[in-house]
Amino acid sequence: MMWFLAYVMAGAFVGVLAGLLGIGGGMTLVPIIAALFAAQHFAPDHVVHMALATCMASIAFTSGSSVREHLKFDGVDFDIVKRMTPGLVIGSLLATSVSAWIPQRHLALSFAVIVFFGATQIMLNKKPKAARPLPAAGPLFCVGMVIGIIAGLVSAGGAFLTIPFMLWCGVPMKKTIGTGALMGIPLAVVGTIGYIISGWNVADLPSDAIGFISITALIGIVCGSVVTAPFGARLAHRLPVPILKRIFACLLYVLAAKMLWTYW
């Protein structure tokens, strides 16, 4: 019960961030869940795999809860969703389905590097100037696939990359957050399938695991996040988000540094 409550608390914390900043929460949640799994002595060689997989599965629920609030504010561009999502889901599936063959240490280091990049991007708070319109279907598919691969490696919904890209293409800021959150749902669903496939025949995983996904942890995270994500989405329209983003970036630096320290 103690560990389940810890999962609920972690999910509640990330749910606020998901609604507030349009993220799926994976970048924040992975180091926390990895630490909880390690404390319980789960499959030592696959703690990071399990954390990535479980957090990826939770993104669909967290993003779905926040998207409902953004829809109320007309904050989703469905045309972009339709055009960009195919590349995102294919990239996510590619990255997650081969994760079992990537050593845990390499996954952890890749996670830390990408999260450091994302945190720096958030800390600088530089909104790309609209330099061009959205590209045609082919190039947009390729951009989506690259983002999907990166998101799959760090169990993120991809918003930390899709939002700057949409801003660069002239999409209004208020549309990018909800649109990025919505695109994170199919990306997370397909990425979850990839992690299930990748971890299906791995030995020594906990009894509640399906592939690399811990069902107990997933339920706890979802119970916490779906309650708080709508609250965060409402706050996004009321609070000084740039200041909150800098605080969030500092948190990401700390969590990424912990991953480096633990798995270097």
Side-chain angles (χ1 to χ4, degrees), residues 38-229:
Q40 297 172 78
H41 308 290
F42 287 170
D45 292 334
H46 297 289
V47 166
V48 174
H49 294 91
M50 288 187 63
L52 288 167
T54 304
C55 294
M56 176 65 84
S58 74
I59 289 172
F61 298 93
T62 305
S63 294
S65 185
S66 65
V67 164
R68 286 197 298 271
E69 292 297 320
H70 286 292
L71 286 172
K72 296 177 183 177
F73 295 93
D74 190 30
V76 176
D77 188 319
F78 287 97
D79 181 61
I80 297 176
V81 172
K82 288 188 292 186
R83 294 169 60 194
M84 200 166 180
T85 297
L88 287 169
V89 298
I90 290 175
S92 177
L93 183 61
L94 286 173
T96 57
S97 60
V98 302
S99 62
W101 288 277
I102 304 176
Q104 176 170 258
R105 180 171 179 267
H106 294 169
L107 271 179
L109 296 181
S110 298
F111 174 90
V113 169
I114 294 171
V115 170
F116 268 121
F117 168 79
T120 301
Q121 179 191 74
I122 294 168
M123 179 66 76
L124 294 176
N125 197 33
K126 290 185 177 180
K127 298 180 178 66
K129 295 182 179 179
R132 52 160 300 158
L134 281 166
L140 196 59
F141 173 88
C142 294
V143 170
M145 187 165 67
V146 171
I147 293 175
I149 291 171
I150 296 172
L153 287 174
V154 298
S155 283
F160 74 107
L161 293 174
T162 57
I163 289 176
F165 175 73
M166 286 187 283
L167 289 172
W168 183 59
C169 293
V171 180
M173 180 65 185
K174 285 193 174 182
K175 287 278 189 182
T176 63
I177 296 177
T179 303
L182 181 55
M183 287 191 292
I185 297 174
L187 184 156
V189 170
V190 174
T192 298
I193 294 171
Y195 276 120
I196 291 174
I197 294 171
S198 182
W200 191 258
N201 293 317
V202 175
D204 301 324
L205 296 178
S207 59
D208 73 326
I210 298 179
F212 281 128
I213 299 167
S214 167
I215 299 302
T216 302
L218 175 61
I219 293 172
I221 292 166
V222 171
C223 286
S225 65
V226 297
V227 172
T228 58

